[in-house]
Amino acid sequence: MDRRTGLPIVGMVGAGQLARMTHQAATGLGQSLRILAVDPDESAALVGADVMIGSHASYDDLVRFATGCDVVTWDHEQVSGEHIRRLAAEGHTVLPGADALLFAQDKQRMRARIEELGIGVPEWAAVSTVDDVESFAEKHGWPVVLKVVSGGYDGRGVFVVSDVKTAQPIVRQGIPLLAERFTAMSSELAAVVARSPYGQLAVWPVVETVQRNGICVEVLAPAPGLDDGTALAAQQAAIRLAIELGVVGVLAVELFRTEDGLLVNELAMRPHNSAHWTIEGSRTSQFEQHLRAVLDYPLGDTRMTAPAVAMANVLGGPPEGPGIDERLHHLMARWPAAKVHLYGKQVRPGRKVGHVTVLGEAIGEVRATASAAAGYLAGTDPS
Amino acid sequence: MDRRTGLPIVGMVGAGQLARMTHQAATGLGQSLRILAVDPDESAALVGADVMIGSHASYDDLVRFATGCDVVTWDHEQVSGEHIRRLAAEGHTVLPGADALLFAQDKQRMRARIEELGIGVPEWAAVSTVDDVESFAEKHGWPVVLKVVSGGYDGRGVFVVSDVKTAQPIVRQGIPLLAERFTAMSSELAAVVARSPYGQLAVWPVVETVQRNGICVEVLAPAPGLDDGTALAAQQAAIRLAIELGVVGVLAVELFRTEDGLLVNELAMRPHNSAHWTIEGSRTSQFEQHLRAVLDYPLGDTRMTAPAVAMANVLGGPPEGPGIDERLHHLMARWPAAKVHLYGKQVRPGRKVGHVTVLGEAIGEVRATASAAAGYLAGTDPS
């Protein structure tokens, strides 16, 4: 509890753009997010008043950080379960807790648990040798998708291999891997839900996520052309997973839409790129909702503020030509309705340095605007 | 220019809730607002990363603060024109500048200038003796409104006097005063506009402001029952004043709607309480627009995001009963669509400690919800 304000203190471990945008939401709720940053130049550390420099990998730093927080939550999945358990055992409130986070940290445990619950996942097997990969391919065909069991994100740690020869160097690194059937899908969806300790649940409309090279480039809300039955099934899967896995806070469930129905691809237990559109596009943003959930406040209204919302990531281009400030001038002149979010990160090719959201009546139009504006800002699109 | 981000640095003198909400908007634009605070516990200082402690009344502090800023702007009107002129003369970009701000700082100069432009103001005269007040009342009738020429806000410095006897102690303080005819009005309006150095203008829909004891308690957007002609006249007056007074940034024009037409009551050259509703209720909030304006970025779309928006101020009640955190829980449970903004300020009777915004289809409904939620949060309303 902050004695100056009479309001709670939420600590977020990690200082990326998720913590940055959570601080914006915390400010509205009368709080100031406490942030654990590795470096003072990280995205959230540049804007937060209450920043501690330390490592999420050090238990000493974590416990020093947690002391005085009403609740500690996560900007990323890279905190060890053992450390989280120890924090909880010492009386700190850590949400989501280690038992839930495990399923966002370990893809093998996650897939096994989801199967157990009778929710679809792509066919998979743990693999540790090239022979394992080959026998998986004999059953399910090439190409095979190899994924690192933990630590992958944004397409890193995911390899599509078309034969034994390309699989070899990956398997031989000795990192725990799983093999997954290469799924023919019509689209990728995300169902995002928030759950409070009390058990309240609030789900946003299901969105389509558009990937390029394994990185999310666009999110379309609501998912275009999605029938009500499939949308409901996706929301129900997300709600069921939030309850069964004991998630508190925001849970993002990434799904493949296939001929055989919905298959869960990934889980994230924190605010997620697939719901950045909620800042302007929903009555309650995922950042505010995450705070409300971990504080056990009642959850906010998740209705959309416009019929169609598109979000496009700004993936930094080559550092040539006009700088980001000059590009921003042009963007604002050309697309006055585009809402820009810049994360204060140095531009590097392919790096997520911001996003653009556009609200409107028809998804085609808002998608085209968001995509053009984000591409222009990144310097990768000449339009 | 912030070398870490390649984006400009805006400095705001003053660390109240306006600076706090401007920091939230700056964060979205990839910036971190630089804040000059008198005290580290002030509203904006609690959440900003780049806070300098110093006095807006000290030129040394101001120049130390301005150094390294791309532009300096204001959270309040209490900086001396002389200091602002000196900062500009020494090469700092200060917006709005001293020549414009004068008309927000000195009510006598403001009224004289507005009359010169042929825009309506209530009948007024400078008064320095009780006899002056009496002869003003002979012409215009009792009661007479006495206002301090500079330094008043939120009803402070405004006195409605019904006879010579009640006027006496006010006049005898020797503060420069003006007398104003007590205006019979059907409602109070605000027309808010932003202007950039380039000369671009963007105006929001005209709103109705509801006052109690001289303090704004509610804002209704758009102003209910306002005919298009009057709305346009109010917007045109605001645009004309922004141009003629050389305002850069947000200009709020408070107006009386009377039988004789619109009369200008007050001017503010900064984000203003009458446009807090724009955070959720407009595609571009006044805080983002103020930043865009002072940075000479193109201005954003001012369209509304819903047909009706109501904002109610949270005016702190007696510090008894449940604390603000407990009240917030109940508010969220009862009104899930209410958007709460708390300023991190200690609750004191009558003090503005936050506001609540509600979006919807019909003004009656959103007004009732915003008012009930704000009253509940303040502890002044049992509902």
Side-chain angles (χ1 to χ4, degrees), chain A residues 1-8 20-21 23-32 40-41 45-50 280 283-285 288 292 295-301 303 305-306 324-325 328-330 332-333 335-346 359-361, chain B residues 1-8 20-21 23-32 40-41 45-50 280 283-285 288 292 295-301 303 305-306 324-325 328-330 332-333 335-346 359-361:
Chain A
M1 189 69 72
D2 189 327
R3 285 192 193 177
R4 299 167 302 185
T5 60
L7 290 164
R20 183 180 174 107
M21 291 184 273
H23 179 55
Q24 287 177 285
T27 298
L29 296 176
Q31 307 166 24
S32 181
D41 284 355
L46 292 175
V47 298
D50 190 2
E280 293 91 1
R283 291 283 166 87
T284 307
S285 82
E288 178 178 335
R292 288 166 79 141
L295 287 165
D296 212 3
Y297 281 166
L299 301 179
D301 188 342
R303 272 179 299 172
T305 57
I324 195 142
D325 187 48
L328 189 54
H329 271 82
H330 289 287
M332 287 176 170
W335 297 286
K339 302 311 300 171
V340 173
H341 296 260
L342 290 173
Y343 307 152
K345 291 159 83 172
Q346 297 274 354
L359 276 63
E361 299 303 312
Chain B
M1 189 70 71
D2 188 327
R3 284 193 192 176
R4 300 167 302 185
T5 60
L7 290 164
R20 183 180 174 105
M21 292 185 271
H23 178 55
Q24 287 177 286
T27 298
L29 296 175
Q31 307 166 25
S32 183
D41 284 355
L46 292 175
V47 298
D50 191 2
E280 293 90 2
R283 292 284 167 87
T284 307
S285 81
E288 177 177 335
R292 287 165 80 141
L295 287 165
D296 212 3
Y297 281 166
L299 301 179
D301 188 342
R303 273 179 299 172
T305 57
I324 195 142
D325 187 49
L328 189 54
H329 271 81
H330 289 288
M332 287 177 170
W335 298 285
K339 302 310 302 173
V340 173
H341 297 260
L342 289 173
Y343 307 152
K345 290 159 83 172
Q346 297 273 355
L359 277 63
E361 299 303 313

Side-chain angles (χ1 to χ4, degrees), chain A residues 88-131:
Chain A
E90 292 190 12
H92 299 285
T93 304
V94 284
L95 292 170
D99 292 346
L101 270 174
L102 174 65
F103 301 104
Q105 293 176 317
D106 181 320
K107 290 192 210 301
Q108 190 173 330
R109 303 284 288 265
M110 185 252 279
R111 274 162 184 69
R113 183 81 179 104
I114 294 176
E115 271 184 335
E116 242 177 63
L117 294 170
I119 296 172
V121 288
E123 277 147 317
W124 69 281
V127 292
S128 52
T129 65
V130 175
D131 284 353

Side-chain angles (χ1 to χ4, degrees), chain A residues 106-356:
Chain A
D106 181 320
K107 290 192 210 301
Q108 190 173 330
R109 303 284 288 265
M110 185 252 279
R111 274 162 184 69
R113 183 81 179 104
I114 294 176
E115 271 184 335
E116 242 177 63
L117 294 170
I119 296 172
V121 288
E123 277 147 317
W124 69 281
V127 292
S128 52
T129 65
V130 175
D131 284 353
D132 290 345
V133 178
E134 197 168 13
S135 67
F136 185 85
E138 273 163 19
K139 236 193 230 163
H140 302 290
W142 295 102
V144 165
V145 183
L146 295 178
K147 292 185 173 177
V148 296
V149 167
S150 52
Y153 68 98
D154 274 357
R156 289 184 227 190
V158 177
F159 312 90
V160 180
V161 295
S162 49
D163 51 37
V164 168
K165 208 180 142 191
T166 49
Q168 239 166 22
I170 299 157
V171 176
R172 287 199 178 148
Q173 288 180 48
I175 307 161
L177 287 176
L178 52 86
E180 217 170 69
R181 192 164 91 149
F182 185 85
T183 305
M185 61 187 120
S186 54
S187 64
E188 292 192 47
L189 304 174
V192 185
V193 63
R195 182 171 173 270
S196 71
Y198 181 79
Q200 197 191 355
L201 290 145
V203 63
W204 284 276
V206 175
V207 298
E208 179 172 339
T209 62
V210 181
Q211 326 284 324
R212 201 181 300 144
N213 306 323
I215 298 180
C216 173
V217 289
E218 289 172 323
V219 174
L220 312 175
L226 189 66
D227 60 287
D228 289 352
T230 308
L232 191 63
Q235 289 181 317
Q236 282 173 334
I239 287 171
R240 187 133 177 263
L241 286 168
I243 296 169
E244 296 288 350
L245 306 182
V247 179
V248 169
V250 166
L251 168 70
V253 181
E254 295 184 57
L255 297 145
F256 296 144
R257 190 179 173 198
T258 75
E259 281 187 358
D260 305 329
L262 296 171
L263 304 178
V264 174
N265 177 34
E266 298 292 348
L267 301 181
M269 295 179 191
R270 49 168 171 76
H272 187 255
N273 199 172
S274 63
H276 287 358
W277 66 273
T278 59
I279 296 174
E280 293 91 1
S282 171
R283 291 283 166 87
T284 307
S285 82
Q286 65 163 344
F287 301 101
E288 178 178 335
Q289 199 79 299
H290 187 75
L291 289 166
R292 288 166 79 141
V294 300
L295 287 165
D296 212 3
Y297 281 166
L299 301 179
D301 188 342
T302 55
R303 272 179 299 172
M304 292 181 67
T305 57
V309 180
M311 189 278 327
N313 282 326
V314 179
L315 300 166
E320 289 147 25
I324 195 142
D325 187 48
E326 188 176 338
R327 291 181 197 278
L328 189 54
H329 271 82
H330 289 287
L331 181 155
M332 287 176 170
R334 180 149 178 186
W335 297 286
K339 302 311 300 171
V340 173
H341 296 260
L342 290 173
Y343 307 152
K345 291 159 83 172
Q346 297 274 354
V347 176
R348 282 204 299 264
R351 189 183 201 198
K352 274 185 206 166
V353 295
H355 74 266
V356 175

Side-chain angles (χ1 to χ4, degrees), chain B residues 161-186:
Chain B
V161 295
S162 48
D163 51 38
V164 168
K165 208 180 143 194
T166 51
Q168 240 167 20
I170 299 157
V171 176
R172 287 198 177 149
Q173 287 180 49
I175 306 160
L177 287 176
L178 52 86
E180 216 170 70
R181 191 165 91 150
F182 186 85
T183 306
M185 61 187 120
S186 54

Side-chain angles (χ1 to χ4, degrees), chain B residues 74-219:
Chain B
W74 325 101
D75 165 90
H76 56 65
E77 286 87 14
Q78 295 149 44
V79 183
S80 93
E82 193 198 325
H83 285 171
I84 299 173
R85 266 175 238 286
R86 217 171 127 194
L87 283 172
E90 291 190 12
H92 300 285
T93 304
V94 284
L95 292 171
D99 292 345
L101 269 174
L102 175 64
F103 299 105
Q105 294 176 317
D106 181 321
K107 289 191 210 304
Q108 190 172 333
R109 302 284 287 267
M110 185 252 279
R111 275 162 184 69
R113 183 80 179 103
I114 295 176
E115 271 185 334
E116 242 177 63
L117 294 170
I119 296 173
V121 288
E123 277 147 317
W124 67 281
V127 291
S128 51
T129 65
V130 175
D131 283 353
D132 290 346
V133 178
E134 196 167 15
S135 67
F136 185 85
E138 274 163 19
K139 237 195 232 162
H140 301 290
W142 294 101
V144 166
V145 183
L146 296 178
K147 292 185 173 178
V148 297
V149 167
S150 51
Y153 68 99
D154 273 356
R156 289 183 228 192
V158 177
F159 313 90
V160 180
V161 295
S162 48
D163 51 38
V164 168
K165 208 180 143 194
T166 51
Q168 240 167 20
I170 299 157
V171 176
R172 287 198 177 149
Q173 287 180 49
I175 306 160
L177 287 176
L178 52 86
E180 216 170 70
R181 191 165 91 150
F182 186 85
T183 306
M185 61 187 120
S186 54
S187 63
E188 292 192 49
L189 304 174
V192 185
V193 64
R195 182 170 174 270
S196 70
Y198 181 80
Q200 196 191 355
L201 290 145
V203 63
W204 284 277
V206 175
V207 297
E208 179 172 339
T209 62
V210 182
Q211 326 283 323
R212 202 181 300 145
N213 304 323
I215 298 180
C216 173
V217 289
E218 290 173 321
V219 174

